[in-house]
Amino acid sequence: MPKLSVYDLSGAQTGEIELNDSVFGAEFNEAVVHQAVVMQLANQRQGTSATKTRAMVRGGGRKPCCTGRARCGSNRSPIWVGGGTTFGPQPRSYAKKMPRKARRLALCCALSAKVAAGELVVVEGLAFDAPKTKQVASLLKAFEAVDTKALLITDGSNENVALSARNMPKVTTITNMGLNCFDILNSKKVFLAKDAVEKIEEVLA
């Protein structure tokens, strides 16, 4: 089982934690992770893009005058200026689905990849009493992650942590119940609350 050091908000080591091997030591499955990321990005698409076909464009009721030219039936034909659009986008759903076991495997692979790369940090007390950006900044500075993409994973909803990090463009905050492959893999440094580790293992193991 992999072991990681536990740090406080100042960057000082406070102990060690033993992680579940099936969650944080899984073999990376590129196909499953790719499918999970594609599903997440596709489900974020609104699918509201729309263009008008020749039936939707106003006008074209009278046959245009065609003296000396081709005998056109409508001036709202797609080949006319002001006409409809051929094969344009229409409102649709881009939603994709994955089996539950596959989604959980993808999360295990993403977390294990961060552990193997030394980019996952377990933090004790990742919860603030009041919104203070200075606390997030000091945490990033302690681990030399000021200029890199960072992800904060809190134990449950913690509004103060989210408010403290929301004006930092390279920092993303999610809860342990909102884990997703894209945010994990898209971050160079992942800070995981110690209290959230056990709950994550209960769900994914």
Side-chain angles (χ1 to χ4, degrees), residues 150-174:
L151 176 66
L152 305 181
I153 304 175
T154 61
D155 178 28
S157 179
N158 192 302
E159 187 178 2
N160 290 331
V161 175
L163 292 175
S164 301
R166 70 176 178 178
N167 63 342
M168 305 182 75
K170 293 187 177 181
V171 179
T172 305
T173 305
I174 61 175

mmCIF file of all heavy atoms in Angstrom, residues 150-174:
data_model
loop_
_atom_site.group_PDB
_atom_site.id
_atom_site.type_symbol
_atom_site.label_atom_id
_atom_site.label_comp_id
_atom_site.label_asym_id
_atom_site.label_seq_id
_atom_site.Cartn_x
_atom_site.Cartn_y
_atom_site.Cartn_z
ATOM 1 N N ALA A 150 -3.376 24.129 -9.734
ATOM 2 C CA ALA A 150 -3.545 23.396 -8.479
ATOM 3 C C ALA A 150 -5.019 23.051 -8.271
ATOM 4 O O ALA A 150 -5.905 23.786 -8.694
ATOM 5 C CB ALA A 150 -3.033 24.217 -7.298
ATOM 6 N N LEU A 151 -5.245 21.929 -7.626
ATOM 7 C CA LEU A 151 -6.599 21.460 -7.330
ATOM 8 C C LEU A 151 -6.719 21.218 -5.834
ATOM 9 O O LEU A 151 -5.905 20.491 -5.255
ATOM 10 C CB LEU A 151 -6.900 20.169 -8.100
ATOM 11 C CG LEU A 151 -8.255 19.506 -7.812
ATOM 12 C CD1 LEU A 151 -9.401 20.408 -8.290
ATOM 13 C CD2 LEU A 151 -8.333 18.144 -8.487
ATOM 14 N N LEU A 152 -7.730 21.818 -5.220
ATOM 15 C CA LEU A 152 -8.002 21.609 -3.802
ATOM 16 C C LEU A 152 -9.232 20.723 -3.663
ATOM 17 O O LEU A 152 -10.308 21.070 -4.162
ATOM 18 C CB LEU A 152 -8.242 22.941 -3.087
ATOM 19 C CG LEU A 152 -7.161 24.021 -3.219
ATOM 20 C CD1 LEU A 152 -7.564 25.262 -2.437
ATOM 21 C CD2 LEU A 152 -5.822 23.503 -2.739
ATOM 22 N N ILE A 153 -9.081 19.580 -3.002
ATOM 23 C CA ILE A 153 -10.194 18.659 -2.781
ATOM 24 C C ILE A 153 -10.534 18.688 -1.300
ATOM 25 O O ILE A 153 -9.751 18.229 -0.465
ATOM 26 C CB ILE A 153 -9.833 17.227 -3.219
ATOM 27 C CG1 ILE A 153 -9.381 17.213 -4.683
ATOM 28 C CG2 ILE A 153 -11.021 16.298 -3.038
ATOM 29 C CD1 ILE A 153 -8.893 15.858 -5.162
ATOM 30 N N THR A 154 -11.694 19.228 -0.977
ATOM 31 C CA THR A 154 -12.101 19.380 0.419
ATOM 32 C C THR A 154 -12.985 18.225 0.862
ATOM 33 O O THR A 154 -13.534 17.487 0.031
ATOM 34 C CB THR A 154 -12.855 20.709 0.617
ATOM 35 O OG1 THR A 154 -14.041 20.698 -0.208
ATOM 36 C CG2 THR A 154 -11.987 21.886 0.216
ATOM 37 N N ASP A 155 -13.112 18.094 2.167
ATOM 38 C CA ASP A 155 -14.001 17.077 2.743
ATOM 39 C C ASP A 155 -15.399 17.670 2.843
ATOM 40 O O ASP A 155 -15.705 18.414 3.770
ATOM 41 C CB ASP A 155 -13.489 16.651 4.112
ATOM 42 C CG ASP A 155 -14.405 15.633 4.775
ATOM 43 O OD1 ASP A 155 -15.083 14.888 4.038
ATOM 44 O OD2 ASP A 155 -14.461 15.598 6.019
ATOM 45 N N GLY A 156 -16.249 17.357 1.891
ATOM 46 C CA GLY A 156 -17.575 17.946 1.860
ATOM 47 C C GLY A 156 -17.516 19.397 1.396
ATOM 48 O O GLY A 156 -16.462 19.916 1.029
ATOM 49 N N SER A 157 -18.640 20.029 1.416
ATOM 50 C CA SER A 157 -18.727 21.416 0.960
ATOM 51 C C SER A 157 -18.120 22.356 1.988
ATOM 52 O O SER A 157 -18.480 22.333 3.163
ATOM 53 C CB SER A 157 -20.189 21.792 0.710
ATOM 54 O OG SER A 157 -20.296 23.133 0.293
ATOM 55 N N ASN A 158 -17.154 23.165 1.546
ATOM 56 C CA ASN A 158 -16.533 24.160 2.410
ATOM 57 C C ASN A 158 -16.480 25.474 1.647
ATOM 58 O O ASN A 158 -15.601 25.704 0.831
ATOM 59 C CB ASN A 158 -15.131 23.712 2.832
ATOM 60 C CG ASN A 158 -14.568 24.561 3.957
ATOM 61 O OD1 ASN A 158 -14.448 25.772 3.835
ATOM 62 N ND2 ASN A 158 -14.224 23.919 5.063
ATOM 63 N N GLU A 159 -17.459 26.314 1.919
ATOM 64 C CA GLU A 159 -17.595 27.555 1.154
ATOM 65 C C GLU A 159 -16.417 28.489 1.357
ATOM 66 O O GLU A 159 -16.006 29.195 0.432
ATOM 67 C CB GLU A 159 -18.898 28.266 1.547
ATOM 68 C CG GLU A 159 -19.208 29.489 0.694
ATOM 69 C CD GLU A 159 -20.518 30.128 1.073
ATOM 70 O OE1 GLU A 159 -21.160 29.633 2.034
ATOM 71 O OE2 GLU A 159 -20.901 31.109 0.427
ATOM 72 N N ASN A 160 -15.834 28.483 2.549
ATOM 73 C CA ASN A 160 -14.723 29.389 2.832
ATOM 74 C C ASN A 160 -13.496 29.059 1.993
ATOM 75 O O ASN A 160 -12.785 29.959 1.545
ATOM 76 C CB ASN A 160 -14.369 29.342 4.320
ATOM 77 C CG ASN A 160 -15.441 29.969 5.186
ATOM 78 O OD1 ASN A 160 -16.152 30.874 4.749
ATOM 79 N ND2 ASN A 160 -15.579 29.491 6.407
ATOM 80 N N VAL A 161 -13.249 27.769 1.771
ATOM 81 C CA VAL A 161 -12.124 27.380 0.915
ATOM 82 C C VAL A 161 -12.387 27.788 -0.535
ATOM 83 O O VAL A 161 -11.505 28.303 -1.228
ATOM 84 C CB VAL A 161 -11.875 25.859 1.015
ATOM 85 C CG1 VAL A 161 -10.772 25.434 0.036
ATOM 86 C CG2 VAL A 161 -11.497 25.463 2.430
ATOM 87 N N ALA A 162 -13.611 27.578 -0.984
ATOM 88 C CA ALA A 162 -13.967 27.950 -2.344
ATOM 89 C C ALA A 162 -13.861 29.457 -2.556
ATOM 90 O O ALA A 162 -13.359 29.919 -3.592
ATOM 91 C CB ALA A 162 -15.375 27.461 -2.669
ATOM 92 N N LEU A 163 -14.322 30.230 -1.591
ATOM 93 C CA LEU A 163 -14.238 31.684 -1.699
ATOM 94 C C LEU A 163 -12.796 32.168 -1.627
ATOM 95 O O LEU A 163 -12.430 33.163 -2.270
ATOM 96 C CB LEU A 163 -15.063 32.340 -0.586
ATOM 97 C CG LEU A 163 -16.587 32.167 -0.662
ATOM 98 C CD1 LEU A 163 -17.248 32.757 0.574
ATOM 99 C CD2 LEU A 163 -17.134 32.816 -1.918
ATOM 100 N N SER A 164 -11.971 31.473 -0.862
ATOM 101 C CA SER A 164 -10.571 31.879 -0.724
ATOM 102 C C SER A 164 -9.779 31.657 -2.006
ATOM 103 O O SER A 164 -8.798 32.363 -2.261
ATOM 104 C CB SER A 164 -9.919 31.100 0.425
ATOM 105 O OG SER A 164 -10.591 31.334 1.650
ATOM 106 N N ALA A 165 -10.214 30.690 -2.812
ATOM 107 C CA ALA A 165 -9.435 30.335 -4.007
ATOM 108 C C ALA A 165 -10.068 30.797 -5.311
ATOM 109 O O ALA A 165 -9.455 30.658 -6.363
ATOM 110 C CB ALA A 165 -9.252 28.820 -4.052
ATOM 111 N N ARG A 166 -11.272 31.363 -5.251
ATOM 112 C CA ARG A 166 -11.971 31.632 -6.502
ATOM 113 C C ARG A 166 -11.352 32.761 -7.328
ATOM 114 O O ARG A 166 -11.563 32.816 -8.534
ATOM 115 C CB ARG A 166 -13.439 31.947 -6.225
ATOM 116 C CG ARG A 166 -13.694 33.264 -5.537
ATOM 117 C CD ARG A 166 -15.178 33.515 -5.406
ATOM 118 N NE ARG A 166 -15.462 34.769 -4.703
ATOM 119 C CZ ARG A 166 -16.689 35.219 -4.501
ATOM 120 N NH1 ARG A 166 -17.731 34.509 -4.922
ATOM 121 N NH2 ARG A 166 -16.882 36.354 -3.869
ATOM 122 N N ASN A 167 -10.616 33.685 -6.691
ATOM 123 C CA ASN A 167 -9.987 34.749 -7.458
ATOM 124 C C ASN A 167 -8.552 34.423 -7.847
ATOM 125 O O ASN A 167 -7.803 35.303 -8.288
ATOM 126 C CB ASN A 167 -10.045 36.072 -6.682
ATOM 127 C CG ASN A 167 -9.269 36.012 -5.377
ATOM 128 O OD1 ASN A 167 -8.973 34.930 -4.879
ATOM 129 N ND2 ASN A 167 -8.950 37.171 -4.821
ATOM 130 N N MET A 168 -8.166 33.153 -7.688
ATOM 131 C CA MET A 168 -6.844 32.694 -8.137
ATOM 132 C C MET A 168 -7.066 31.881 -9.407
ATOM 133 O O MET A 168 -7.628 30.779 -9.357
ATOM 134 C CB MET A 168 -6.169 31.863 -7.049
ATOM 135 C CG MET A 168 -6.062 32.591 -5.715
ATOM 136 S SD MET A 168 -5.220 31.648 -4.427
ATOM 137 C CE MET A 168 -3.522 31.802 -4.970
ATOM 138 N N PRO A 169 -6.655 32.403 -10.562
ATOM 139 C CA PRO A 169 -7.029 31.800 -11.851
ATOM 140 C C PRO A 169 -6.540 30.377 -12.067
ATOM 141 O O PRO A 169 -7.144 29.630 -12.832
ATOM 142 C CB PRO A 169 -6.414 32.754 -12.880
ATOM 143 C CG PRO A 169 -5.332 33.480 -12.145
ATOM 144 C CD PRO A 169 -5.803 33.592 -10.726
ATOM 145 N N LYS A 170 -5.465 29.972 -11.400
ATOM 146 C CA LYS A 170 -4.904 28.642 -11.632
ATOM 147 C C LYS A 170 -5.296 27.633 -10.557
ATOM 148 O O LYS A 170 -4.791 26.511 -10.545
ATOM 149 C CB LYS A 170 -3.380 28.722 -11.738
ATOM 150 C CG LYS A 170 -2.891 29.468 -12.965
ATOM 151 C CD LYS A 170 -1.389 29.376 -13.120
ATOM 152 C CE LYS A 170 -0.933 30.068 -14.385
ATOM 153 N NZ LYS A 170 0.539 29.956 -14.568
ATOM 154 N N VAL A 171 -6.206 28.010 -9.674
ATOM 155 C CA VAL A 171 -6.607 27.131 -8.584
ATOM 156 C C VAL A 171 -8.071 26.738 -8.763
ATOM 157 O O VAL A 171 -8.927 27.584 -9.002
ATOM 158 C CB VAL A 171 -6.412 27.805 -7.216
ATOM 159 C CG1 VAL A 171 -6.862 26.874 -6.088
ATOM 160 C CG2 VAL A 171 -4.961 28.205 -7.031
ATOM 161 N N THR A 172 -8.344 25.440 -8.669
ATOM 162 C CA THR A 172 -9.705 24.910 -8.758
ATOM 163 C C THR A 172 -10.048 24.216 -7.450
ATOM 164 O O THR A 172 -9.192 23.542 -6.856
ATOM 165 C CB THR A 172 -9.836 23.915 -9.923
ATOM 166 O OG1 THR A 172 -9.417 24.540 -11.133
ATOM 167 C CG2 THR A 172 -11.269 23.433 -10.086
ATOM 168 N N THR A 173 -11.275 24.372 -7.006
ATOM 169 C CA THR A 173 -11.723 23.754 -5.757
ATOM 170 C C THR A 173 -12.918 22.851 -6.019
ATOM 171 O O THR A 173 -13.886 23.274 -6.652
ATOM 172 C CB THR A 173 -12.128 24.825 -4.723
ATOM 173 O OG1 THR A 173 -11.035 25.728 -4.538
ATOM 174 C CG2 THR A 173 -12.461 24.183 -3.392
ATOM 175 N N ILE A 174 -12.845 21.608 -5.567
ATOM 176 C CA ILE A 174 -13.964 20.675 -5.660
ATOM 177 C C ILE A 174 -14.086 19.931 -4.337
ATOM 178 O O ILE A 174 -13.178 19.974 -3.496
ATOM 179 C CB ILE A 174 -13.796 19.665 -6.817
ATOM 180 C CG1 ILE A 174 -12.539 18.809 -6.604
ATOM 181 C CG2 ILE A 174 -13.762 20.352 -8.160
ATOM 182 C CD1 ILE A 174 -12.375 17.700 -7.647
#
